[in-house]
Amino acid sequence: EADIYQTPRYLVIGTGKKITLECSQTMGHDKMYWYQQDPGMELHLIHYSYGVNSTEKGDLSSESTVSRIRTEHFPLTLESARPSHTSQYLCASSRSGWVAGNTDTQYFGPGTRLTVL
Amino acid sequence: AQKVTQAQTEISVVEKEDVTLDCVYETRDTTYYLFWYKQPPSGELVFLIRRNSFDEQNEISGRYSWNFQKSTSSFNFTITASQVVDSAVYFCALSGYLKLTFGKGITLSVRP
């Protein structure tokens, strides 16, 4: 069972505000990910991290930024929110490596539904 | 390049019917993993199963079963005797180096 947490679950905010979406996991996973998903649509990877001080951009370009100062924490920040940022943001984590018998199963948090007015 | 195709976009069934969700994948890797996730209306993604590319045995877990056929690059998911609680979006995914490639998802509606 995965232990990965996201806060807030719902956020309604005005245009131009700075926001940080929190994501924490207690499993000691090295890899963490952020996905963006519009309602009923596919998932798009926007950021990922291999470990502390490692961050990479995903397949979908995003104006958000991430940091990875601690293994368990992978926050996402929008410096100036816009209505186009309205979406659901899902955080995930997985163990590292391709050890025989192991796998890169990603475990997801409950998501943050962001609405920018 | 990796690709996952879920050709069915929406499926509607009546409770107790069996339903199969299709997944076709493309990869050049010789070692890979396949996954199914369930996303209920609450929004979180729930991990259902993973399958190693070297293991083509079918798997059954309660009302759920999975059919992996390497020859046709398919990893199909069957729900037997569907229930209203099975209503969700179901995603098939393929592992690559460090990342997962997801299909676009299938919306399953189970009517009472």
Side-chain angles (χ1 to χ4, degrees):
Chain A
E1 191 65 32
D3 293 313
I4 182 163
Y5 309 98
Q6 290 185 245
T7 57
R9 290 293 312 277
Y10 302 91
L11 179 61
V12 180
I13 202 162
T15 298
K17 300 291 187 183
K18 178 180 178 179
I19 60 169
T20 296
L21 307 184
E22 300 289 347
C23 176
S24 295
Q25 48 94 6
T26 58
M27 298 165 285
H29 286 173
D30 284 334
K31 299 177 196 166
M32 296 189 74
Y33 313 80
W34 276 104
Y35 291 86
Q36 184 175 344
Q37 183 190 29
D38 292 330
M41 303 295 285
E42 60 193 295
L43 283 81
H44 295 285
L45 181 68
I46 52 175
H47 298 283
Y48 60 99
S49 168
Y50 303 152
V52 171
N53 294 324
S54 151
T55 60
E56 302 286 341
K57 289 194 176 295
D59 305 318
L60 180 69
S61 176
S62 173
E63 295 169 345
S64 59
T65 59
V66 292
S67 63
R68 191 89 183 276
I69 299 173
R70 303 197 314 267
T71 298
E72 64 272 20
H73 194 214
F74 191 40
L76 180 146
T77 299
L78 275 166
E79 290 292 334
S80 179
R82 295 207 301 268
S84 61
H85 297 139
T86 295
S87 190
Q88 172 161 256
Y89 293 84
L90 290 160
C91 181
S93 71
S94 65
R95 292 183 291 185
S96 60
W98 280 93
V99 177
N102 205 342
T103 185
D104 217 7
T105 301
Q106 291 186 17
Y107 296 96
F108 284 79
T112 295
R113 292 183 191 264
L114 172 65
T115 302
V116 183
L117 304 175
Chain B
Q2 310 226 77
K3 187 177 180 181
V4 174
T5 301
Q6 296 182 263
Q8 305 151 309
T9 54
E10 295 184 19
I11 300 175
S12 182
V13 299
V14 176
E15 210 169 17
K16 298 184 183 178
E17 282 187 33
D18 298 346
V19 57
T20 296
L21 311 180
D22 297 334
C23 174
V24 174
Y25 63 92
E26 296 175 29
T27 181
R28 293 180 182 177
D29 295 341
T30 54
T31 300
Y32 53 90
Y33 294 89
L34 294 159
F35 304 83
W36 276 94
Y37 287 87
K38 173 183 180 180
Q39 187 175 40
S42 52
E44 76 276 19
L45 256 76
V46 178
F47 165 67
L48 295 177
I49 190 172
R50 72 178 188 273
R51 171 61 72 214
N52 185 310
S53 56
F54 294 113
D55 182 2
E56 290 193 64
Q57 283 190 352
N58 292 333
E59 180 152 342
I60 298 174
S61 175
R63 295 185 296 107
Y64 295 171
S65 62
W66 289 269
N67 180 274
F68 176 35
Q69 292 196 343
K70 217 169 178 178
S71 59
T72 57
S73 297
S74 64
F75 186 43
N76 297 336
F77 174 29
T78 297
I79 302 174
T80 302
S82 60
Q83 300 176 1
V84 173
V85 294
D86 295 327
S87 297
V89 181
Y90 291 86
F91 290 93
C92 180
L94 169 67
S95 68
Y97 184 64
L98 298 175
K99 296 190 290 185
L100 287 182
T101 299
F102 284 88
K104 294 187 176 183
I106 301 170
T107 300
L108 174 64
S109 299
V110 182
R111 309 187 305 276

